[in-house]
C-alpha cells in the first residue's frame, strides 16, 4: 500500500529551521508596534529545513505534468512551448519598483511602449493598454470601455444588453454581468457559426455590444464576419473580440480589419508566456480610436526620446489594476514577438492550423466523430466513437502520457473534446497521439470496464469530486487528538 | 421515469404539490437524474416574495448549477434545512424528503395552470 | 526564429494529407479582403541577439534592489530555493489543474498555500489567488455586497489609493455606491454606517504606514450587519494581530512581500481569505482535499459551480487565470522561512524603518506625518515636492520618496525599509536626502 504524499505541515517539526535571515538585533516589538497590536501566537507555518522544502516541491512537481513534460493539446488554452529565453529576459527586469523615478526605468518603459505598438499592429487596433492582469480582466476592461463610450453619447441608459453566442467562453457572459449588463445568448447555426438571421433579429437599440471569438470555440472561422459586423455597427452596437483564439490567425488577418472595436489578448496563450499552473497571465486590450479616450490610466507614451507614464485621460474608465500590469509577463511576450518578427508569427499560426487540420483528418480516420468536419483553424471539436464517453477517453489518455483535450466544452456539442495541438508539436508527436487515441477507442469499446476505471498509472487515480464538493476540506488541520 | 400523479409540474422540471394552504416545491426525478450527484442546494430566504418563473434556488452538481424557478407566485415560508447537510436527499427521494421550499401562494389560479403528470411525461420524453 | 519543428518535408506531407498544396489554402475560409495584412514589426532576432538587446534596455534602468519605496511592494530578500523551485517546468508550464490525476503537484501546493493564508489572516478559508491586492480588494467588496444584498460601500482613505481607484472602477460597473472616510491625523476616524452599507473597508497598516485600531469600525459595521473587508500586508501578519482576530469577515492583500521580486509592479499575487460561511461566495479557484478510488489522499478543484465556466452570467466573478505560480512562490517563501524566520524578517524590516524614520526626520524641514505606531513604511513631509526630491535622489543612485497623492496633503513622500537594508544603506540615504534638500 502506497503512503499518502505528506503535506508540508506533516513534515513540520517544532523548532526546525529553514532559511535564516541575517542575525537580527533585539527589536522591542511591543514598544515599536504597540503591545495591544501584536499577535498572540505566530501563524502555524511549517517548520522545516531547506532540504525538506526543496524535496517537497521537487517531488510535488513530479506529480504534475506541463508542456515541458507532455503533449498538452488542451483546447482553447494554446499550450505551446514556452521558450526559456523569456525567463532569462524577465530576470533582467525583476528588481524594478513601480514608484522609482521614471528617469531610472526608461528601458522598462520602452518595452511597455513598444509592446503596446506591436500589439496594436498585430491586431489592427489604434491604442493598447497593458494593464489587465489576465484575459478575463481584459474582457472586463474592454466591456467597460464600450460602456463608457455609450455613456459619453448619452446612450448608457438605453443600451443594457450584451449579446453572446451560445458557444462562447463562460468568461464572456460572466464579464458582461460584471460590467453591469444583461446577457442575451445568440444561437449558433447548424454550421457551427453564429446564426446571422438570429443575430440580426436580436440587434436593437437596447444592445450595447456583441462579444465574439473568431475563430470561435469550435475552431471555425466565422465566415460571415464582415456582414455580421456591418449589421451590428448599423445599429450602433460595438463589437468585442475575445482574443483567446488569436493564435489561429496571427499575421493572416487582424480583428481590427474585420471591424472589431475592442480586442483583448492573452499573452499567456498566443505569445507563449508560461501558464504557471493557472497564472499569472496578462490580458492587454486594444481599442479603436473612438474608444481610446476611455482606456485605463496610466498608459506609456513617448515624448521625444523619453518614455512617460501618461495619466492625462480625462474620460478614462479609471484604473483596472495596481501599478502598470503584469510587467514581467509583458517582457516575455515582447521577447517572443521580437524573436519571431512578422514572418515568424505568421508561420506560427500557419503551423498551428496545419497541425490542427492534420490531427482532425487523422482522428476522423480512426473512429472519432468530427461534428463540424471542415477546414478548422487552430483547434477543432471531436467526439468519441459512439459508446464511449469523452471523460473516459480523457482519463485513458493520462495512462498513455498525454494531457487530455478540453472536454465537455463548448456546451453546444455533446461529449465534446476540444483539441488544440499548437504549432510547436512535431508531426511524429501528432502521429503517436493518433495511435494512442485509436488504441483507446478500440480497447475502450472492447473492454468498457477497463476504460471506466482509467487511469491506473497516475500518482492518484480518479478522485471523489462529489465528496470534495459536498464536504470541502479547504485547508490542512492537525489530526484531532 | 417516476412522475407521481399527486402533483403538478413545470417545463423546467420543478414539481409543485398542494399541502394545506401551501405549495411544496422540489425537482423531478428526471431533473435529479440529469443533474447527477447533487452537492449543494442554495435555498431562498424565508419571507421572500417571489413571482412565478423567478429563479429562487440553485441546485449544484459537480459540473453544473441549475436554477430552480418558483412554479407559482407567493411568499417563501419554509425551506428544507436538511439539505444543507445532506444535499443527496434530492437524489435519493426527490418527491419526498428531498423537497426544497414551501410557498404561500398569492394566486391559486397559477397552480391549476401547471402541467399535469401526463403532460409532463410528454415533456421529458421530448427531452430524452 | 520561431519554435516550430516542421521540416519542409513535414509541411508537404501534412498538406498532402489534407489534399492541399499551399499553406494559404489553410486560410481559404477567411474573406479575401482580410488576408495577409502587411505587419510592420522589427526583424526577427536569434536568442543571442534578443538577450543582448534586452540587456541594453536593462542598462537604461537603475536597479531598485535597495529601494526605500513602498506602497505594499518592496525589495525583500527571496531565498534562492524559491525561484529555483518555481522555475521547474512542471510548475511553470502547466495549465489550471483541470485533470487532477496528473496535477497533484499544483493542487497540493495550492492546498498548502490556502492553509498558510488562512493561518496568516486568522480566517477560515483562502482561495487559490487573485491577480493582485487591488483586484483582491474589489472582489472582496463585491463578495460582501452579494452576501448582504446591499449596494453601499464605505472605504477608509487609509486604503492604498490605487486599490481604491480599482475598487471605484469595479463598483461603478455594477452601480454600487462608494463613500470615502478621510483620515484624521493619519488614522481612520470612527464612523457610523446605515443599513444600505454592505461592506466597510479598512487597511492596517494603512497607506501612510500607521497601524490602525480596527475595533471601532468592526463594531460599527457588525451593528448594521455590514461585512468588514480588511486590507493587510501579509508581512505585517507575521507580527500583528490578524484580521480574523479583529473580527474582520474578509481579508485581502498583495502578496509581493512573500517571495516575489518587485517586477516593476507585477506580477505578484492577490490573496483573499474569508469566514467559513462566505465560502460559496468566494471568487476564483479553490482546492479541496479528497481521496481517490483506492482510498489515497488527493486534491481537486472544488465548488466550481461558483465559476464562470459553469455558471456563466451568474458566476461570482469572471476570473479564470489567477496568479498561481506567484502565489506558490509565496508559499515556498513561507515554507523556507518558517514561523520564526518570517517573524525575524518582519521585525528586521520594522526596526530598519523606524531607524530610518528617526534619521530622516532629523533633517531640516523634514517631518514625519505617519503617527506611531507604524510598521515598515512611513510618510514624511518634505520642504519640496516629492517628485523633485525623488528625481534628485535617483540621480545619486538612491530610490526613495515616492510622491504621495495630493489628497493626503502637500509635499508628502512615502518611504519604506526592509531587512535588505543595512546601516550603511540607511546612512547613505540620509546623506543623499540631505544633499538633495540643501
Amino acid at each position: 500500500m502506497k503512503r499518502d504524499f505528506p503535506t508540508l505541515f506533516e513534515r513540520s517539526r517544532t523548532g526546525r529551521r529553514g532559511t535564516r535571515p541575517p542575525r537580527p538585533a533585539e527589536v522591542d516589538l511591543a514598544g515599536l508596534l504597540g503591545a495591544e497590536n501584536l499577535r498572540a501566537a505566530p501563524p502555524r507555518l511549517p517548520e522545516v529545513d531547506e532540504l525538506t522544502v526543496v524535496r517537497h516541491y521537487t517531488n510535488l512537481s513530479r506529480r504534475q505534468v506541463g508542456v515541458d513534460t507532455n503533449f498538452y493539446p488542451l483546447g482553447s488554452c494554446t499550450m505551446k512551448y514556452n521558450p526559456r529565453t523569456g525567463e532569462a529576459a524577465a530576470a533582467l527586469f525583476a528588481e524594478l519598483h513601480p514608484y522609482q523615478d521614471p528617469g531610472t526605468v526608461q528601458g522598462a518603459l520602452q518595452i511597455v511602449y513598444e509592446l503596446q505598438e506591436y500589439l496594436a499592429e498585430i491586431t489592427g487596433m489604434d491604442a493598447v493598454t497593458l494593464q489587465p492582469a489576465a484575459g478575463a480582466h481584459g474582457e472586463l476592461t474592454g466591456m467597460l470601455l464600450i460602456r463608457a463610450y455609450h455613456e459619453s453619447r448619452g446612450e448608457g441608459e438605453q443600451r443594457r444588453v450584451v449579446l453572446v453566442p451560445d458557444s462562447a467562453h463562460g468568461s464572456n457572459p460572466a464579464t458582461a454581468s460584471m460590467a453591469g449588463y444583461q446577457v442575451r445568448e445568440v444561437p449558433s447555426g447548424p454550421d457551427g457559426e453564429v446564426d446571422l438571421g438570429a443575430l440580426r433579429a436580436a440587434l436593437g437599440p437596447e444592445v450595447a455590444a456583441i462579444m465574439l471569438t473568431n475563430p470561435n470555440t469550435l475552431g471555425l472561422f466565422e465566415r460571415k464576419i464582415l456582414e455580421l459586423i456591418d449589421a451590428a455597427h448599423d445599429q450602433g452596437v460595438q463589437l468585442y473580440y475575445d482574443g483567446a483564439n488569436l493564435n489561429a490567425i496571427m499575421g493572416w488577418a487582424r480583428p481590427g480589419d474585420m471591424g472589431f472595436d475592442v480586442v483583448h489578448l492573452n499573452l499567456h496563450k498566443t505569445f507563449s508566456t508560461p501558464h504557471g499552473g493557472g497564472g499569472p497571465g496578462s490580458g492587454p486590450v486594444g481599442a479603436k480610436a473612438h474608444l481610446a479616450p476611455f482606456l485605463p490610466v496610466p498608459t506609456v507614451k513617448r515624448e521625444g526620446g523619453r518614455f512617460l507614464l501618461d495619466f492625462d485621460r480625462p474620460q478614462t474608465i479609471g484604473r483596472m489594476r495596481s501599478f502598470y500590469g503584469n510587467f514581467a509577463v509583458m517582457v516575455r511576450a515582447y521577447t517572443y514577438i521580437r524573436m519571431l518578427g512578422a514572418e515568424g508569427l505568421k508561420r506560427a499560426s500557419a503551423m498551428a492550423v496545419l497541425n490542427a487540420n492534420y490531427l482532425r483528418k487523422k482522428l476522423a480516420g480512426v473512429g472519432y466523430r468530427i461534428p463540424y468536419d471542415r477546414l478548422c483553424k487552430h483547434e477543432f471539436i471531436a467526439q468519441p466513437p459512439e459508446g464511449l464517453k469523452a471523460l473516459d477517453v480523457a482519463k485513458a489518455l493520462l495512462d498513455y502520457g498525454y494531457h487530455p483535450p478540453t472536454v465537455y466544452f463548448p456546451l453546444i456539442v455533446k461529449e465534446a473534446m476540444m483539441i488544440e495541438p499548437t504549432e510547436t508539436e512535431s508531426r511524429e508527436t501528432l502521429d503517436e497521439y493518433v495511435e494512442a487515441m485509436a488504441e483507446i477507442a478500440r480497447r475502450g469499446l472492447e473492454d468498457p470496464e477497463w476504460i471506466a476505471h482509467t487511469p491506473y498509472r497516475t500518482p492518484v487515480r480518479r478522485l471523489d469530486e462529489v465528496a470534495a464538493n459536498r464536504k470541502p476540506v479547504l485547508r490542512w488541520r492537525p489530526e484531532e487528538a | 421515469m417516476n412522475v407521481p400523479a399527486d402533483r403538478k409540474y413545470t417545463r423546467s422540471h420543478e414539481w409543485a404539490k398542494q399541502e394545506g394552504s401551501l405549495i411544496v416545491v422540489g425537482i423531478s426525478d428526471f431533473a435529479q437524474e440529469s443533474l447527477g450527484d447533487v452537492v449543494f442546494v442554495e435555498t431562498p430566504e424565508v419571507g421572500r416574495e417571489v413571482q412565478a418563473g423567478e429563479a429562487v434556488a440553485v441546485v449544484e452538481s459537480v459540473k453544473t448549477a441549475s436554477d430552480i424557478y418558483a412554479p407559482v407566485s407567493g411568499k417563501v415560508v419554509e425551506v428544507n434545512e436538511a439539505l444543507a447537510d445532506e444535499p443527496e436527499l434530492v437524489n435519493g427521494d426527490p418527491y419526498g424528503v428531498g423537497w426544497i421550499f414551501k410557498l404561500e401562494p398569492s394566486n391559486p389560479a397559477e397552480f391549476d395552470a401547471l402541467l399535469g403528470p401526463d403532460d409532463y411525461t410528454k415533456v421529458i420524453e421530448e427531452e430524452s | 526564429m520561431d519554435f516550430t519543428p516542421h521540416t519542409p518535408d513535414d509541411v508537404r506531407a501534412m498538406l498532402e494529407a489534407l489534399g492541399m498544396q499551399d499553406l494559404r489554402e489553410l486560410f481559404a475560409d477567411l474573406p479575401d479582403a482580410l488576408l495577409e495584412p502587411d505587419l510592420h514589426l522589427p526583424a526577427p532576432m536569434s536568442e543571442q541577439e534578443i538577450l543582448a538587446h534586452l540587456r541594453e534596455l536593462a542598462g537604461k534602468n537603475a536597479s531598485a534592489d535597495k529601494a526605500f519605496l513602498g506602497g505594499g511592494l518592496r525589495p525583500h530578500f527571496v531565498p534562492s530555493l524559491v525561484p529555483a523551485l518555481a522555475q521547474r517546468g512542471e510548475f511553470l508550464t502547466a495549465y489550471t489543474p483541470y485533470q487532477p490525476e496528473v496535477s497533484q503537484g499544483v493542487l497540493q501546493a495550492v492546498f498548502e498555500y490556502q492553509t498558510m493564508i488562512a493561518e496568516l489572516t486568522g480566517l477560515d478559508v483562502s482561495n487559490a489567488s487573485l491577480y493582485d491586492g487591488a483586484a483582491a480588494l474589489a472582489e472582496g467588496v463585491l463578495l460582501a455586497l452579494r452576501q448582504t444584498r446591499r449596494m453601499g460601500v464605505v472605504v477608509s482613505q487609509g486604503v492604498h489609493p490605487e486599490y481604491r481607484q480599482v475598487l471605484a472602477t469595479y463598483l461603478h460597473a455594477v452601480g454600487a455606491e462608494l463613500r470615502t472616510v478621510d483620515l484624521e491625523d493619519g488614522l481612520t476616524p470612527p464612523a457610523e454606517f446605515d443599513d444600505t452599507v454592505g461592506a466597510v473597508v479598512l487597511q492596517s497598516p494603512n497607506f501612510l504606514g500607521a497601524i490602525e485600531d480596527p475595533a471601532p469600525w468592526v463594531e460599527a459595521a457588525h451593528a448594521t450587519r455590514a461585512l468588514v473587508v480588511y486590507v493587510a500586508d501579509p508581512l505585517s501578519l507575521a507580527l500583528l494581530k490578524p484580521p480574523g482576530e479583529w473580527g474582520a469577515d474578509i481579508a485581502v492583500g498583495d502578496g509581493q512581500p512573500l517571495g516575489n521580486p518587485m517586477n516593476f509592479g507585477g506580477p505578484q499575487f492577490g490573496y483573499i481569505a474569508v469566514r467559513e460561511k462566505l465560502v460559496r461566495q468566494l471568487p476564483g479557484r479553490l482546492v479541496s482535499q479528497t481521496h481517490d478510488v483506492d482510498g489515497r489522499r488527493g486534491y481537486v478543484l472544488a465548488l466550481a459551480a461558483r465559476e464562470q465556466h459553469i455558471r456563466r452570467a451568474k458566476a461570482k466573478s469572471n476570473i479564470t487565470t489567477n496568479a498561481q505560480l506567484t502565489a506558490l512562490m509565496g508559499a515556498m517563501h513561507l515554507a523556507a522561512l518558517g514561523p520564526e524566520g518570517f517573524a525575524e524578517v518582519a521585525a528586521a524590516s520594522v526596526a530598519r524603518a523606524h531607524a530610518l524614520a528617526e534619521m530622516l526626520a532629523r533633517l531640516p524641514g523634514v517631518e514625519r506625518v505617519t503617527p506611531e505606531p507604524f510598521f515598515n513604511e512611513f510618510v514624511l513631509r518634505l520642504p519640496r515636492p516629492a517628485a523633485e526630491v525623488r528625481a534628485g535622489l535617483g540621480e545619486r543612485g538612491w530610490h526613495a520618496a515616492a510622491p504621495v497623492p495630493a489628497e493626503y496633503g502637500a509635499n508628502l513622500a512615502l518611504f519604506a525599509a526592509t531587512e535588505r537594508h543595512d546601516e550603511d544603506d540607511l546612512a547613505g540615504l540620509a546623506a543623499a536626502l540631505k544633499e538633495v534638500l540643501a
Side-chain angles (χ1 to χ4, degrees):
Chain A
M1 153 120 189
K2 280 195 206 165
R3 282 195 308 145
D4 288 336
F5 189 93
T7 64
L8 264 176
F9 303 94
E10 290 156 336
R11 300 182 198 269
S12 175
R13 294 294 176 271
T14 305
R16 196 165 279 166
R17 295 290 307 264
T19 306
R20 286 171 195 265
R23 206 175 170 76
E26 277 306 307
V27 183
D28 172 17
L29 290 173
L32 294 178
L33 302 175
E36 69 286 5
N37 294 318
L38 297 183
R39 66 187 296 161
R44 287 171 300 177
L45 298 170
E47 296 179 65
V48 285
D49 59 289
E50 282 208 12
L51 176 56
T52 298
V53 177
V54 170
R55 265 195 201 142
H56 179 74
Y57 284 105
T58 302
N59 285 313
L60 275 183
S61 78
R62 294 168 67 182
R63 295 161 70 81
Q64 177 68 44
V65 305
V67 176
D68 278 6
T69 61
N70 297 70
F71 180 39
Y72 210 129
L74 189 65
S76 199
C77 301
T78 313
M79 299 301 284
K80 60 168 81 175
Y81 169 60
N82 307 133
R84 287 282 169 169
T85 317
E87 303 309 302
L92 297 171
F93 301 89
E95 300 272 26
L96 299 177
H97 193 288
Y99 292 159
Q100 67 189 93
D101 186 76
T104 65
V105 284
Q106 285 296 300
L109 291 175
Q110 183 174 341
I111 288 177
V112 176
Y113 176 81
E114 289 181 352
L115 185 58
Q116 287 172 183
E117 300 281 297
Y118 301 161
L119 295 177
E121 178 69 13
I122 291 166
T123 56
M125 307 307 278
D126 297 315
V128 168
T129 171
L130 301 180
Q131 208 173 96
H137 204 213
E139 289 181 39
L140 181 59
T141 306
M143 291 310 292
L144 293 180
L145 296 180
I146 288 173
R147 187 171 151 161
Y149 168 75
H150 288 312
E151 280 170 1
S152 75
R153 294 160 50 94
E155 294 183 356
E157 294 294 313
Q158 164 201 331
R159 296 190 183 270
R160 303 299 317 139
V161 173
V162 168
L163 303 182
V164 175
D166 57 5
S167 62
H169 296 116
S171 57
N172 292 170
T175 296
S177 291
M178 276 184 100
Y181 284 111
Q182 294 151 31
V183 178
R184 205 183 287 160
E185 275 202 354
V186 186
S188 303
D191 59 358
E193 298 180 34
V194 173
D195 182 335
L196 193 51
L199 184 96
R200 278 186 203 277
L203 288 171
E206 77 285 11
V207 178
I210 308 174
M211 299 182 83
L212 283 180
T213 309
N214 192 22
N216 64 27
T217 59
L218 299 166
L220 303 175
F221 193 85
E222 298 279 355
R223 287 171 292 196
K224 297 177 290 282
I225 189 67
L226 299 178
E227 295 96 298
L228 191 159
I229 290 183
D230 279 347
H233 278 164
D234 283 349
Q235 305 255 4
V237 174
Q238 294 287 289
L239 261 296
Y240 183 92
Y241 183 89
D242 177 331
N245 292 347
L246 190 76
N247 205 47
I249 56 168
M250 283 187 300
W252 292 91
R254 309 193 298 176
D257 298 339
M258 295 176 207
F260 283 95
D261 302 289
V262 198
V263 39
H264 92 260
L265 303 173
N266 301 76
L267 298 187
H268 48 291
K269 294 181 180 175
T270 316
F271 298 98
S272 94
T273 76
H275 287 75
S282 174
V285 168
K288 287 279 175 67
H290 65 285
L291 296 174
F294 309 106
L295 285 174
V297 285
T299 50
V300 175
K301 68 174 178 183
R302 178 180 206 150
E303 254 178 38
R306 308 279 294 165
F307 298 94
L308 306 170
L309 290 166
D310 182 9
F311 289 89
D312 184 23
R313 218 177 270 275
Q315 288 182 281
T316 177
I317 58 166
R319 203 179 245 291
M320 288 304 295
R321 193 196 183 285
S322 60
F323 315 116
Y324 323 124
N326 283 348
F327 175 75
V329 181
M330 299 172 205
V331 174
R332 292 174 172 93
Y334 176 90
T335 303
Y336 181 76
I337 292 170
R338 293 297 302 260
M339 288 180 87
L340 270 69
E343 270 312 300
L345 293 177
K346 196 172 165 189
R347 176 167 162 102
S349 280
M351 293 304 116
V353 173
L354 179 64
N355 276 1
N357 279 288
Y358 180 76
L359 206 49
R360 172 177 63 86
K361 201 89 179 169
K362 287 267 183 175
L363 282 179
V366 297
Y368 287 83
R369 294 171 291 166
I370 310 291
Y372 302 96
D373 199 8
R374 68 164 172 92
L375 182 61
C376 66
K377 293 273 81 62
H378 65 309
E379 66 189 1
F380 62 97
I381 307 293
Q383 293 167 305
E386 196 75 55
L388 291 183
K389 288 190 193 146
L391 179 72
D392 290 337
V393 172
K395 296 304 180 196
L397 275 166
L398 300 172
D399 273 345
Y400 284 81
Y402 295 104
H403 193 284
T406 298
V407 289
Y408 301 105
F409 186 83
L411 307 174
I412 58 171
V413 180
K414 285 195 173 144
E415 300 295 331
M417 305 174 66
M418 188 188 206
I419 305 176
E420 180 182 9
T422 84
E423 71 275 14
T424 52
E425 299 296 337
S426 68
R427 184 179 161 201
E428 305 89 87
T429 300
L430 303 184
D431 287 341
E432 287 161 16
Y433 177 74
V434 171
E435 276 174 41
M437 289 286 276
E439 191 175 310
I440 288 167
R442 185 180 52 71
R443 240 180 116 178
L445 288 170
E446 277 169 19
D447 188 353
E449 276 298 297
W450 166 77
I451 197 163
H453 294 103
T454 50
Y456 300 90
R457 293 199 288 273
T458 46
V460 293
R461 296 183 53 214
R462 289 196 198 200
L463 290 143
D464 189 343
E465 298 195 65
V466 172
N469 281 283
R470 281 189 182 153
K471 297 271 186 296
V473 178
L474 303 170
R475 64 185 288 187
W476 184 83
R477 284 182 201 277
E479 298 277 333
E480 299 294 330
Chain B
M1 206 58 71
N2 184 11
V3 182
D6 61 351
R7 61 196 77 198
K8 299 270 201 176
Y9 297 86
T10 66
R11 287 195 166 272
S12 46
H13 308 290
E14 292 86 7
W15 55 260
K17 187 182 175 199
Q18 240 161 358
E19 194 183 88
S21 63
L22 302 181
I23 305 284
V24 191
V25 182
I27 65 170
S28 71
D29 192 28
F30 175 80
Q32 72 78 20
E33 181 76 31
S34 358
L35 276 168
D37 291 318
V38 172
V39 296
F40 182 67
V41 182
E42 187 184 315
T43 49
E45 239 176 289
V46 171
R48 181 170 154 197
E49 298 279 351
V50 300
Q51 294 297 312
E54 188 179 330
V56 291
V58 184
V59 177
E60 293 180 11
S61 63
V62 174
K63 306 277 182 202
T64 60
S66 296
D67 284 319
I68 306 305
Y69 302 95
V72 298
S73 309
K75 187 164 88 176
V76 178
V77 292
E78 196 183 339
V79 300
N80 189 351
E81 306 282 358
L83 298 179
D85 265 344
E86 293 180 273
E88 56 270 34
L89 295 176
V90 174
N91 293 118
D93 187 8
Y95 296 115
V97 294
W99 64 277
I100 297 173
F101 57 91
K102 294 183 188 178
L103 289 171
E104 189 176 277
S106 53
N107 179 2
E110 284 173 352
F111 181 78
D112 299 330
L114 296 174
L115 300 174
D118 293 343
D119 288 335
Y120 179 64
T121 305
K122 278 182 205 135
V123 169
I124 56 182
E125 274 163 8
E126 278 163 27
E127 283 195 26
S128 42
Chain C
M1 158 104 207
D2 64 41
F3 299 93
T4 56
H6 304 70
T7 66
D9 272 350
D10 288 335
V11 173
R12 210 173 306 125
M14 291 170 80
L15 281 174
E16 205 169 284
L18 297 169
M20 294 180 184
Q21 268 124 46
D22 191 297
L23 288 173
R24 283 186 180 77
E25 292 176 61
L26 292 167
F27 296 89
D29 49 350
L30 273 64
D32 281 341
L34 296 175
L35 275 175
E36 301 187 69
D38 242 344
L39 287 194
H40 298 95
L41 294 173
M45 286 181 173
S46 66
E47 175 172 18
Q48 184 181 316
E49 289 163 323
I50 182 68
L51 287 177
H53 169 68
L54 287 165
R55 271 188 214 104
E56 194 186 314
L57 287 175
K60 297 181 182 174
N61 304 320
S63 169
D65 63 330
K66 285 287 177 80
F68 293 91
L69 298 160
L73 206 87
R74 295 174 301 268
H76 285 288
F77 180 77
V78 178
S80 309
L81 62 80
V82 173
L85 293 170
Q87 285 281 309
R88 286 197 52 102
E90 298 88 340
F91 290 136
L92 188 69
T93 67
Y95 199 72
T96 304
Y98 288 133
Q99 294 291 337
E101 296 87 346
V102 292
S103 306
Q104 287 300 299
V106 168
L107 286 162
Q108 180 171 334
V110 173
F111 178 77
E112 294 169 356
Y113 161 85
Q114 290 175 180
T115 308
M116 291 179 188
I117 295 295
E119 280 294 328
L120 289 190
T121 56
L123 286 163
D124 301 315
V125 183
S126 156
N127 83 351
S129 73
L130 296 167
Y131 311 133
D132 69 340
L137 169 59
E139 291 281 10
V141 167
L142 291 177
L143 185 166
L145 296 182
R146 282 196 296 276
Q147 176 73 14
T148 57
R149 298 192 186 166
R150 295 177 184 177
M151 288 302 261
V153 179
V154 178
V155 60
S156 155
Q157 194 191 17
V159 175
H160 194 306
E162 295 194 14
Y163 294 14
R164 284 188 284 124
Q165 289 163 18
V166 172
L167 178 64
T169 311
Y170 275 69
L171 292 184
H172 173 75
V174 295
E177 226 171 284
L178 178 62
R179 175 162 75 92
T180 306
V181 174
D182 285 348
L183 293 181
E184 290 174 11
D185 300 323
L187 291 170
T188 306
E192 280 181 18
F193 313 111
D194 62 40
D195 63 7
T196 64
V197 174
V200 310
V201 187
L202 196 68
Q203 176 176 326
S204 182
N206 67 24
F207 180 65
L208 306 184
I211 297 172
E212 299 267 9
D213 175 8
W217 269 45
V218 171
E219 202 176 307
H222 287 171
T224 60
R225 307 181 64 138
L227 298 181
V228 177
V229 184
Y230 191 120
V231 185
D233 183 323
L235 183 67
S236 74
L237 300 179
L239 302 175
L240 297 180
K241 193 160 139 182
E245 274 180 47
W246 285 112
D249 305 282
I250 300 161
V252 297
D254 196 291
Q256 184 274 334
L258 307 182
N260 276 270
M262 297 176 288
N263 284 333
F264 198 40
Q268 63 284 71
F269 67 94
Y271 77 80
I272 183 167
V274 298
R275 297 207 178 276
E276 184 86 51
K277 64 170 187 198
L278 300 175
V279 62
R280 287 184 187 269
Q281 293 289 358
L282 267 175
R285 296 177 187 129
L286 277 170
V287 171
S288 171
Q289 184 185 307
T290 185
H291 52 271
D292 76 356
V293 291
D294 297 331
R296 255 174 311 184
R297 183 168 66 184
Y299 304 88
V300 291
L301 291 175
L303 310 189
R306 298 165 295 115
E307 293 185 72
Q308 51 79 22
H309 60 286
I310 291 181
R311 206 65 176 116
R312 299 176 78 84
K314 288 181 175 172
K316 306 299 179 196
S317 166
N318 69 344
I319 188 167
T320 307
T321 288
N322 55 15
Q324 205 58 75
L325 192 67
T326 35
L328 293 190
M329 288 166 75
M332 291 165 181
H333 184 81
L334 290 170
L337 286 171
E340 271 184 78
F342 187 45
E344 286 167 6
V345 167
S349 191
V350 168
R352 295 288 181 225
H354 282 255
L356 181 67
E358 211 177 301
M359 287 168 87
L360 300 185
R362 280 202 296 262
L363 297 174
V366 176
E367 174 201 3
R368 174 159 55 83
V369 171
T370 304
E372 285 184 328
F374 61 92
F375 200 74
N376 62 349
E377 300 194 11
F378 58 90
V379 168
L380 299 179
R381 189 185 310 283
L382 302 175
R384 286 171 39 205
E388 286 175 24
V389 175
R390 179 179 65 176
L393 290 170
E395 284 163 17
R396 289 164 176 78
W398 296 93
H399 303 292
V404 170
E407 60 168 307
Y408 295 97
N411 293 356
L412 299 185
L414 183 62
F415 291 79
T418 76
E419 75 289 350
R420 253 170 110 169
H421 300 113
D422 60 25
E423 270 152 39
D424 291 347
D425 297 324
L426 304 190
L429 175 67
L433 182 60
K434 189 173 175 187
E435 222 179 279
V436 170
L437 292 180

